[in-house]
């Protein structure tokens, strides 16, 4: 987020404030000054756009996950080669004051997604790069990729840019911030380096010099940049509120930062506005001049305060009564990226959010497909369905109607004028083993007192899939998530199977192919099929749903086995899907690899267990002429 157009304005209109620098030289100078390994703080979300835009990774197929993982590894190793440590930060939540802007962007992106599908249905070619969208769940899963690669990674309990700027200024070993967010021009923090202009071979990039920009081009003090940003329009002071003011500043109907920067800075100097958010007299004066009223002065206040580093901040509290050890665990697991951010936001804010994804508006939205899984997670997280005779402490009560989750889900038909209010759902009690103590445990007991097999059983019960538990428990760990998603999409929904048998088989086969990242890179890009695009999105939304269940159950198996680079590649899936429609043949689907064919016949019966496509009941020879079971 940040000030729209500011970075482009600095790059094209302020040459002295925008120069190429050598990261190695900066690092060496800092190392000599502090006598320890220099550190760069990396804005995680900016990195993802850079990796996908500056490499050969296609974006339309659903994610080239193994290739992405290896590109990320190369990125980290390049900095290690010059003895620079990287610390990554990812957003953990959307603060309430930015929700309006978040919604506006989601609706705008949803319109772009509709346009992408309209184009695809006409020409079946990869869309123009201007329509670029990060693959579904990339922002969530990348943080776990960084962690798996051994780098430090944190997810925040507020906007990441605030935390990054503050962390950088407080830690002497940090010499730079690597990002592509114009707010880092405004924060009075460490050196801001461009991630999109980074040449990984030479480690040269652009340095945005905020002091030079403020003093030489705006004739302002660095301390006045936050006020400049607020009056230019940012995430706290929306552009529609500023439109009339901008018309006056620009003296035309063409509103752009390059057209208003000179006059805007002249007004700030002429009025002697300091930009002190504690000076209410000045804020009222600014509000009258900008908005014509005093009612909107809080917008300027919030915007200015957001740029003030080290200001008092109270993290959100867990909103139900839990043991102190549980509350500590919620914070520690969130900060250190042991859980997905969903758990923290649910327990502290009673909120769940999901952005727009590449899905066809004519199909059931994936946000709704997996909603019941989320609702069962809510029930367990909030001890919602505890029976009174199981309570060991009177502070743990049935919350009745008190727990309602605000879901902010971007999908066709949801204008998000207000959150959807979603209630928890109970677990299906038909399959409770007699040796379990109590039907549903307190969340504290599930996290701290249950064995691995007990946690796995609750993982299975929350998913409420038809697959037998023993089948799930016997699976290789890297196939559990894949099998659970497919089993749910075939037999876990009241509306019946969402996937066709051929589609199920393709998902299974692509997970078993043993291809290197380089081989996947060389795979010819298939023609784009809107059905396959939608299926990839649906599957990846399933990954995030299962990941939430895994976190609720305190990870009965390691989260690394839930990462798609172990069982899904969007480009390979697309390729096999297109080929299978033309030549539905098991041997060809499995690449004529006997070991893959053998594993295919092992995994398919598990994936279809107790569903309409069960091997024993469904005639798979109507799908594949060469189907032979057992193999």
């Amino acid at each position: 987020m940040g000030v729209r157009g500011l970075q482009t304005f600095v790059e094209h209109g302020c040459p002295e404030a925008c120069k190429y620098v050598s990261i190695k030289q900066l690092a060496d100078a800092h190392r000599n000054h502090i006598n320890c390994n220099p550190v760069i703080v990396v804005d995680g979300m900016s990195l993802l756009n850079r990796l996908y835009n500056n490499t050969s990774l296609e974006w339309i197929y659903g994610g080239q996950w193994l290739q992405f993982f290896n590109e990320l590894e190369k990125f980290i190793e390049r900095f290690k080669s010059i003895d620079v440590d990287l610390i990554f930060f990812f957003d953990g939540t959307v603060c309430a004051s930015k929700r309006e802007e978040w919604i506006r962007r989601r609706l705008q992106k949803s319109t772009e997604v509709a346009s992408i599908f309209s184009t695809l249905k006409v020409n079946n070619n990869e869309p123009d790069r201007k329509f670029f969208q990060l693959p579904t769940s990339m922002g969530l899963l990348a943080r776990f990729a960084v962690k798996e690669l051994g780098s430090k990674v944190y997810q925040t309990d507020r906007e990441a840019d605030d935390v990054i700027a503050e962390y950088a200024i407080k830690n002497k070993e940090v010499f730079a911030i690597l990002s592509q967010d114009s707010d880092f021009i405004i924060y009075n923090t460490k050196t801001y380096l461009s991630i999109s202009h980074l040449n990984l071979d030479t480690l040269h990039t652009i340095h945005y010099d905020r002091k030079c920009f403020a003093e030489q081009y705006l004739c302002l003090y660095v301390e006045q940049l936050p006020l400049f940003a607020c009056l230019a329009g940012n995430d706290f002071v929306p552009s529609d509120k500023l439109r009339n003011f901008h018309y006056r500043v620009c003296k035309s109907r063409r509103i752009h930062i390059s057209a208003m920067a000179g006059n805007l800075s002249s007004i700030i100097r002429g009025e002697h506005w300091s930009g002190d958010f504690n000076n209410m007299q000045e804020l009222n004066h600014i509000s009258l001049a900008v908005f014509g009223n005093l009612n909107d002065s809080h917008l300027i206040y919030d915007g200015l305060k957001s740029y003030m580093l080290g200001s008092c901040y109270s993290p959100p509290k867990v909103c139900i009564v839990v043991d102190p050890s549980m509350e500590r665990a919620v914070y520690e697991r969130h900060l250190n990226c042991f859980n997905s951010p969903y758990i923290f936001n649910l327990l502290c804010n009673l909120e769940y959010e999901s952005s727009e994804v590449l899905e066809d508006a004519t199909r059931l939205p994936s946000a709704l497909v997996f909603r019941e899984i989320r609702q069962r997670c809510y029930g367990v997280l909030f001890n919602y369905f505890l029976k009174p005779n199981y309570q060991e402490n009177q502070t743990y009560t049935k919350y009745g109607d008190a727990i309602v989750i605000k879901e902010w889900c971007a999908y066709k038909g949801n204008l998000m004028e207000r959150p959807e209010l979603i209630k928890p759902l109970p677990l299906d009690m038909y399959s409770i083993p007699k040796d379990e103590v109590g039907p549903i445990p307190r969340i504290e007991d599930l996290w701290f007192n249950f064995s691995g097999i007990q946690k796995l059983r609750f993982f299975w019960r929350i998913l409420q899939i038809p697959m037998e538990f023993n089948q799930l428990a016997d699976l290789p760990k890297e196939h559990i998530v894949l099998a659970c998603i497919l089993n749910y999409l075939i037999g876990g929904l009241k509306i019946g199977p969402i996937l066709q048998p051929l589609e199920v088989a393709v998902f299974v086969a692509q997970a078993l192919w043993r291809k290197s990242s380089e081989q996947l890179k060389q795979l010819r890009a298939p023609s784009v099929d809107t059905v396959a695009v939608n299926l990839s999105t649906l599957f990846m939304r399933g990954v995030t749903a299962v990941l939430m269940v895994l976190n609720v159950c305190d990870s009965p198996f390691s989260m690394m086995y839930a990462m798609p680079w172990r069982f899904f590649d969007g480009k390979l899936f697309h390729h096999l899907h297109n080929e299978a429609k033309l030549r539905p043949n098991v041997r060809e689907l499995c690449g004529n690899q006997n070991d893959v064919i053998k594993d295919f016949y092992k995994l398919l019966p598990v994936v279809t267990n107790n569903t309409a496509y069960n091997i024993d009941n469904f005639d798979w020879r109507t799908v594949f002429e060469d189907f032979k079971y057992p193999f």
Side-chain angles (χ1 to χ4, degrees):
M1 297 185 179
V3 181
R4 189 177 301 171
L6 178 59
Q7 228 144 228
T8 303
F9 171 59
V10 174
E11 288 177 16
H12 294 109
C14 311
E16 293 300 313
C18 184
K19 292 184 176 179
Y20 273 90
V21 295
S22 163
I23 292 178
K24 186 179 187 306
Q25 289 178 5
L26 293 176
D28 289 343
H30 194 68
R31 183 184 291 107
N32 293 334
H33 177 63
I34 63 170
N35 198 29
C36 69
N37 243 29
V39 170
I40 291 178
V41 179
V42 181
D43 177 354
M45 289 306 296
S46 292
L47 171 63
L48 302 187
N49 285 295
R50 191 262 176 205
L51 284 180
Y52 252 85
N53 280 316
N54 290 33
T55 64
S56 59
L57 296 176
E58 297 93 345
W59 59 274
I60 192 65
Y61 299 115
Q64 281 58 65
W65 292 96
L66 183 59
Q67 287 176 255
F68 163 75
F69 186 80
N70 289 338
E71 290 292 338
L72 182 58
E73 186 175 26
K74 289 177 195 174
F75 180 88
I76 293 170
E77 288 300 320
R78 184 67 184 94
F79 284 90
K80 280 184 181 178
S81 72
I82 61 166
D83 294 321
V84 169
D85 295 330
L86 300 179
I87 297 179
F88 296 79
F89 281 84
F90 286 87
D91 278 322
T93 187
V94 175
C95 64
S97 56
K98 290 192 177 183
R99 178 63 69 187
E100 185 178 334
E101 177 64 14
W102 183 88
I103 291 170
R104 186 192 68 79
R105 295 189 186 206
R106 300 289 68 78
L107 294 175
Q108 178 185 331
K109 287 283 189 179
S110 295
T111 301
E112 292 174 12
V113 168
S115 179
I116 289 170
F117 272 92
S118 296
T119 303
L120 288 178
K121 289 175 181 179
V122 172
N123 59 31
N124 299 112
N125 293 323
E126 188 173 344
D128 189 280
R129 203 73 185 180
K130 69 180 181 181
F131 290 113
F132 171 76
Q133 306 265 336
L134 276 174
T136 302
S137 304
M138 177 62 75
L140 170 67
L141 299 173
R143 64 199 71 193
F144 301 114
V146 172
K147 193 175 183 71
E148 187 174 324
L149 288 167
S151 288
K152 284 186 180 178
V153 56
Y154 299 106
Q155 52 189 6
T156 66
D157 58 3
R158 50 187 160 132
E159 286 291 318
D161 47 6
D162 298 357
V163 181
I164 289 170
E166 199 165 285
Y167 182 91
I169 201 71
K170 285 182 177 178
N171 290 274
K172 67 175 185 178
E173 64 272 18
V174 176
F175 73 94
I177 294 167
L178 195 56
S179 178
Q180 205 61 40
D181 186 330
S182 60
D183 272 342
F184 291 114
I185 297 175
I186 307 301
Y187 286 110
N188 195 3
T189 183
K190 296 285 178 67
T191 299
Y192 169 32
L193 303 176
S194 166
I195 203 166
S196 67
H197 292 282
L198 173 65
N199 183 319
L200 207 56
D201 293 326
T202 64
L203 286 181
H204 284 71
T205 191
I206 285 176
H207 165 217
Y208 299 102
D209 187 334
R210 68 179 65 84
K211 188 173 190 295
C212 176
F213 172 62
E215 295 179 359
Q216 186 169 328
Y217 291 97
L218 300 180
C219 299
L220 298 174
Y221 296 110
V222 168
E223 292 76 15
Q224 291 173 296
L225 284 178
L227 179 59
F228 175 84
C230 289
L231 298 187
N234 58 15
D235 300 331
F236 288 88
V237 190
S239 55
D240 61 331
K241 288 277 188 180
L242 292 163
R243 189 167 291 114
N244 290 332
F245 173 66
H246 285 168
Y247 287 152
R248 299 198 303 273
V249 170
C250 295
K251 296 182 171 58
S252 77
R253 292 282 164 173
R254 180 179 176 268
I255 297 176
H256 189 270
I257 187 73
S258 60
M260 75 170 74
N263 289 343
L264 187 56
S265 54
S266 294
I267 292 171
I268 293 171
R269 292 195 307 274
E271 296 288 347
H272 303 290
W273 289 336
S274 66
D276 179 2
F277 72 93
N278 287 314
N279 186 339
M280 290 309 299
Q281 184 176 354
E282 179 177 281
L283 291 185
N284 287 335
H285 185 194
I286 294 171
S287 184
L288 279 173
V290 173
F291 306 118
N293 63 68
L294 298 178
N295 297 331
D296 292 323
S297 60
H298 68 281
L299 297 175
I300 305 291
Y301 173 86
D302 290 340
L304 291 173
K305 189 176 180 181
S306 73
Y307 291 113
M308 296 301 108
L309 304 180
S311 58
C312 184
Y313 169 74
S314 299
K317 303 292 184 185
V318 174
C319 62
I320 59 170
V321 178
V322 292
D323 295 335
S325 59
M326 174 70 181
E327 184 151 14
R328 282 195 302 274
V330 169
Y331 284 99
E332 289 169 4
R333 293 182 186 197
H334 177 76
L335 175 65
N336 295 303
C337 216
F338 287 109
N339 276 345
S340 66
Y342 301 131
I343 305 301
F344 182 84
N345 285 327
L346 286 167
L347 285 171
C348 295
N349 302 319
L350 289 171
E351 285 192 341
Y352 172 86
E353 66 194 31
S354 61
S355 298
E356 73 294 331
V357 289
L358 277 172
E359 59 186 4
D360 192 338
T362 63
R363 291 173 171 256
L364 181 65
S366 56
L368 302 185
V369 169
F370 297 103
R371 175 170 277 171
E372 288 194 1
I373 291 178
R374 298 197 299 273
Q375 287 177 275
R376 290 190 286 273
C377 285
Y378 304 159
V380 173
L381 270 178
F382 292 103
N383 301 321
Y384 191 80
F385 297 103
L386 285 180
K387 290 189 175 181
N389 61 3
Y390 183 59
Q391 294 168 12
E392 299 171 354
N393 187 314
Q394 290 303 309
T395 59
Y396 298 93
T397 61
K398 183 175 183 297
Y399 284 85
D401 294 329
I403 298 297
V404 178
I405 307 302
K406 296 178 181 178
E407 286 200 347
W408 299 94
C409 297
Y411 59 85
K412 175 70 173 179
N414 183 14
L415 299 178
M416 293 191 290
E417 294 172 346
R418 60 187 64 84
E420 295 176 276
L421 304 180
I422 306 299
K423 301 281 287 183
L425 280 177
L427 304 188
D428 192 335
M429 310 304 284
Y430 75 91
S431 56
I432 305 169
K434 293 181 180 178
D435 60 348
E436 280 193 25
V437 181
I440 301 178
R442 297 184 308 161
I443 187 63
E444 294 95 321
D445 291 332
L446 183 54
W447 280 21
F448 303 126
N449 299 327
F450 272 44
S451 67
I453 195 67
Q454 287 175 309
K455 292 174 183 178
L456 186 63
R457 189 176 288 279
F458 266 89
F459 169 84
W460 171 71
R461 286 180 59 197
I462 293 173
L463 288 172
Q464 209 160 293
I465 50 179
M467 183 193 305
E468 294 170 16
F469 176 71
N470 290 340
Q471 293 264 28
L472 181 148
D474 290 340
L475 276 169
K477 288 185 176 64
E478 65 270 18
H479 291 157
I480 290 178
V481 170
L482 172 99
C484 289
I485 294 168
L486 297 181
N487 192 251
Y488 176 80
L489 293 176
I490 304 168
L493 290 154
K494 297 182 181 71
I495 59 174
I498 287 184
L499 300 179
Q500 296 299 314
L502 182 69
E503 296 163 352
V504 174
V506 175
F507 273 116
V508 171
Q510 64 81 36
L512 299 171
W513 273 54
R514 295 167 177 84
K515 279 193 174 288
S516 68
S517 177
E518 190 59 34
Q519 288 173 314
L520 290 168
K521 184 177 179 179
Q522 298 304 322
L523 190 67
R524 181 175 55 84
S527 62
V528 182
D529 184 319
T530 56
V531 172
V533 172
N534 209 81
L535 289 172
S536 292
T537 295
L538 182 65
F539 181 82
M540 285 309 305
R541 271 294 180 84
V543 171
T544 60
V546 173
L547 186 60
M548 179 190 284
V549 182
L550 191 63
N551 292 159
V552 168
C553 297
D554 188 45
S555 298
F557 56 91
S558 172
M559 281 176 62
M560 72 177 187
Y561 294 113
M563 297 298 118
W565 44 93
R566 288 187 167 79
F567 52 80
F568 181 68
D569 182 86
K571 187 177 172 185
L572 178 59
F573 171 78
H574 220 98
H575 174 78
L576 295 179
H577 180 267
N578 288 2
E579 291 292 314
K581 285 195 303 179
L582 296 174
R583 292 181 295 278
N585 181 290
V586 171
R587 178 161 287 278
E588 290 194 24
L589 181 62
C590 295
N592 293 302
Q593 306 166 83
N594 283 335
D595 52 348
V596 174
I597 297 169
K598 184 178 179 181
D599 289 343
F600 175 85
Y601 282 113
K602 282 183 181 177
L603 187 54
L604 187 66
V606 180
V607 162
T608 59
N609 183 231
N610 284 335
T611 72
Y613 304 151
N614 193 309
I615 292 282
D616 296 327
N617 302 324
F618 181 79
D619 187 0
W620 276 88
R621 288 173 299 179
T622 62
V623 181
F624 300 107
E625 288 184 5
D626 66 335
F627 191 86
K628 296 177 182 177
Y629 181 78
F631 176 65

